[in-house]
């Protein structure tokens, strides 16, 4: 049965905690928007974007591979321990390969916005280290979710975000710029990864060295998902990079400030990762999978309509929270909401498929996405905030349609017994 009282209770608990977490995170974000100089906030926006890129390129689907493989061994302490140690070994290799490409790109893009040389060097270092800690924490979190240990994640998320808010409030009265804000993120990522790793040691048997048992399966999953992951990170950040290349730091700041209003999607993504992904990873019944898939799509469709309607009906009250620098971004707000909703929808369907080992073929997602992105970029002004969100909306729409079609086909194959149930070692 898809909906039970126990599942509703767990959903309510996780959702409530995530609302609190994101409310604290939202306050921290608004604190940055209102109290940081606009150019500095532009640097910070680029830095956060770069962290996202580094995380994905040093992961390439490794965390979802851990969940997909670990889903079938949730009660086996030794197996899960060997899995996460093997994943660490694969992650170290991916990290070194990604740094060769990322470090020069990070430095160039920050320098392009006329950031001081010392700040370029410091931010580049902080970005790389933050990404490493975040990716390691993500792999540990995958195992915690397989084990059903949602409580530790909820408590840790809330404690970390409250601590970040407190540190930023102190920084407002001392010194607050992009470097300080990024250092706060680095400390939070390091603490998060350390606490999760320490928790796992109490519930899984971690061998001292990688056994190599799961590395072939992890590497196969990464190879299958890598093209889609690389494309995803490039397409999702392309519009912001174009503003960074052809616009000013102030335009980058406007795009980043509007992005703060998308905190709702972070709540939804967190709840989905905690409850929805494990649900699809564990289920084998075609009827249960189809019911869950229909519920996810109905939810995202309704959310898109409600949010865009709210943005059209009352843009001024929504923009008020960002401060006077951003009060005139009415059209940009609508396009941001549309782009964010579509991207979240398509991303949810894609990650649900990955949780079952149903990774979309690279040629399908990439080819259709490139056509959508190039077509949109040719029709809009890529140096403006409005143009950047229009590109994201076009790419998100095509990505959602393609993901829906692919996952629906996999469901039909599974119902007939022709699709793999899940990834296997």
């Amino acid at each position: 049965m898809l909906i039970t009282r126990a599942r509703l209770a767990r959903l309510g608990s996780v959702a409530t905690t995530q609302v609190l977490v994101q409310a604290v995170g939202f306050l921290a974000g608004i604190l940055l928007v209102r109290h940081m100089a606009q150019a500095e906030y532009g640097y910070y926006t680029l830095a956060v974007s770069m962290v996202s890129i580094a995380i994905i390129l040093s992961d390439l689907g490794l965390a979802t591979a851990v969940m997909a493989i670990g889903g079938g061994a949730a009660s086996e302490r030794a197996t899960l321990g060997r899995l996460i140690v093997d994943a660490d070994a694969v992650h170290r290799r991916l990290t070194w390969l990604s740094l060769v490409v990322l470090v020069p790109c990070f430095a160039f893009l920050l320098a392009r916005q006329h950031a001081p040389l010392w700040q370029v060097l410091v931010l580049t270092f902080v970005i790389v280290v933050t990404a490493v800690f975040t990716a390691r924490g993500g792999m540990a979190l995958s195992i915690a979710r397989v084990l059903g240990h949602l409580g530790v994640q909820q408590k840790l998320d809330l404690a970390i975000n409250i601590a970040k808010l407190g540190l930023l409030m102190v920084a407002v009265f001392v010194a607050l710029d992009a470097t300080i804000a990024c250092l706060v993120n680095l400390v939070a990522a390091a603490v998060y990864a350390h606490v999760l790793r320490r928790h796992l040691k109490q519930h899984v048997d971690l061998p001292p060295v990688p056994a190599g048992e799961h590395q072939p399966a992890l590497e196969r999953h990464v190879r299958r998902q890598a093209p889609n992951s690389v494309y995803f990170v490039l397409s999702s950040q392309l519009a912001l990079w174009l503003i960074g290349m052809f616009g000013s730091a102030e335009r980058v700041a406007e795009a980043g400030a509007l992005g703060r209003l998308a905190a709702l999607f972070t709540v939804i993504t967190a709840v989905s990762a905690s409850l929805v992904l494990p649900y699809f990873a564990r289920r084998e019944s075609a009827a249960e999978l189809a019911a869950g898939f229909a519920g996810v799509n109905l939810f995202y469709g309704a959310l898109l309509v409600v949010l865009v309607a709210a943005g059209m009906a009352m843009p001024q009250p929504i923009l008020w929270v960002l401060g006077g620098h951003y009060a005139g971004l009415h059209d940009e707000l609508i396009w941001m909401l549309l782009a964010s909703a579509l991207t979240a929808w398509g991303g949810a369907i894609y990650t649900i498929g990955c949780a079952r080992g149903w990774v979309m073929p690279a040629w399908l997602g990439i080819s259709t996405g490139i056509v959508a992105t190039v077509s949109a970029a040719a029709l809009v002004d890529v140096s403006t905030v409005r143009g950047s969100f229009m590109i994201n909306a076009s790419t998100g729409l095509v990505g959602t349609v393609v993901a829906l079609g692919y996952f629906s086909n996999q469901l039909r194959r599974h119902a007939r017994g022709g699709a793999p149930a899940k990834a296997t070692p």
Side-chain angles (χ1 to χ4, degrees):
M1 184 177 179
L2 178 63
I3 299 177
T4 65
R5 182 172 298 179
R7 288 174 186 164
L8 286 175
R10 291 186 75 198
L11 176 61
S13 174
V14 173
T16 300
T17 303
Q18 284 303 320
V19 167
L20 291 174
V21 168
Q22 296 308 320
V24 175
F26 180 74
L27 290 175
I30 296 303
L31 193 70
L32 293 174
V33 172
R34 284 182 169 268
H35 293 280
M36 194 182 290
Q38 200 170 16
E40 284 291 327
Y41 192 71
Y43 302 154
Y44 177 76
T45 299
L46 287 175
V48 172
S49 169
M50 292 174 186
V51 169
S52 300
I53 298 166
I55 291 169
I56 292 176
L57 293 185
S58 63
D59 181 298
L60 294 180
L62 190 59
T64 56
V66 169
M67 178 174 287
I69 296 172
S75 60
E76 302 174 21
R77 291 172 56 104
T79 300
L80 292 178
R82 294 193 298 271
L83 174 60
I84 194 167
V85 172
D86 284 351
D88 284 340
V90 176
H91 176 251
R92 283 193 291 271
R93 295 199 297 271
L94 292 175
T95 298
W96 283 110
L97 289 173
S98 64
L99 291 183
V100 174
V101 177
L102 294 178
V103 170
C105 294
F106 289 170
F108 171 77
L109 196 54
L110 287 171
R112 180 80 178 178
Q113 290 299 316
H114 309 293
L117 178 60
W118 71 266
Q119 195 170 26
V120 171
L121 296 175
V122 172
L123 284 177
T124 301
F125 173 78
V126 171
I127 286 165
V128 170
V129 178
T130 302
V132 171
F133 278 122
T134 304
R136 285 177 61 82
M139 284 184 290
L141 186 59
S142 293
I143 296 295
R145 286 169 176 163
V146 167
L147 293 171
H149 295 175
L150 300 182
V152 64
Q153 178 194 353
Q154 295 178 53
K155 293 175 183 177
L156 189 55
D157 283 343
L158 189 56
I160 289 290
N161 277 273
I162 291 174
K164 284 177 62 176
L165 178 60
L167 290 173
L168 291 173
M169 290 177 68
V170 172
V172 167
F173 297 101
V174 180
L176 180 60
D177 60 10
T179 305
I180 297 297
C182 287
L183 284 171
V184 171
N185 290 342
L186 169 58
V187 172
V191 171
Y192 194 91
H194 173 72
V195 173
L196 274 178
R197 292 279 170 153
R198 188 174 63 182
H199 173 77
L200 282 185
K201 288 181 180 179
Q202 301 172 6
H203 299 278
V204 301
D205 299 327
L206 296 174
V209 295
E213 173 187 349
H214 298 283
Q215 286 191 32
L218 291 169
E219 290 169 355
R220 284 196 301 272
H221 193 102
V222 166
R223 282 194 296 270
R224 290 170 57 203
Q225 197 168 336
N228 285 325
S229 297
V230 173
Y231 165 73
F232 170 78
V233 71
L234 293 177
S235 63
S236 64
Q237 302 297 329
L238 177 62
L240 184 62
W241 294 349
L242 289 173
I243 299 178
M245 288 292 294
F246 301 108
S248 64
E250 288 73 20
R251 300 292 81 74
V252 175
E254 289 176 353
L258 284 172
R260 289 292 173 184
L261 297 176
L264 172 64
F265 297 101
T266 308
V267 177
I268 295 168
T269 300
V271 173
S272 174
S274 298
L275 294 179
V276 178
L277 296 189
Y279 173 87
F280 280 93
R282 296 169 180 168
R283 292 298 178 276
E284 296 300 330
S285 166
E288 287 187 321
L289 290 172
F293 183 56
V296 168
N297 288 305
L298 286 173
F299 171 78
Y300 276 99
L303 182 68
L304 185 150
V305 172
V306 169
L307 290 179
V308 172
M312 295 177 67
M314 46 184 184
Q316 205 61 44
I318 297 175
L319 292 170
W320 172 82
V321 299
L322 299 179
H325 289 302
Y326 311 100
L329 302 175
H330 292 187
D331 289 344
E332 291 84 352
L333 172 65
I334 304 302
W335 283 105
M336 182 278 292
L337 291 170
L338 183 61
S340 298
L342 287 170
T343 301
W345 191 350
I349 302 304
Y350 178 80
T351 54
I352 285 172
C354 291
R356 291 202 57 79
W358 299 345
V359 181
M360 185 187 302
W363 65 267
L364 178 60
I366 294 175
S367 61
T368 54
I370 288 176
V371 170
T373 301
V374 171
S375 300
L379 298 174
V380 303
D381 184 352
V382 298
S383 67
T384 65
V385 177
R386 183 173 183 266
S388 72
F389 285 123
M390 292 176 74
I391 293 173
N392 287 342
S394 301
T395 306
L397 175 61
V398 172
T400 299
V401 171
V402 172
L404 286 171
Y406 179 77
F407 194 89
S408 298
N409 182 62
Q410 292 297 102
L411 274 177
R412 286 193 294 269
R413 290 183 59 203
H414 179 66
R416 296 195 302 264
K422 58 182 67 173
T424 55

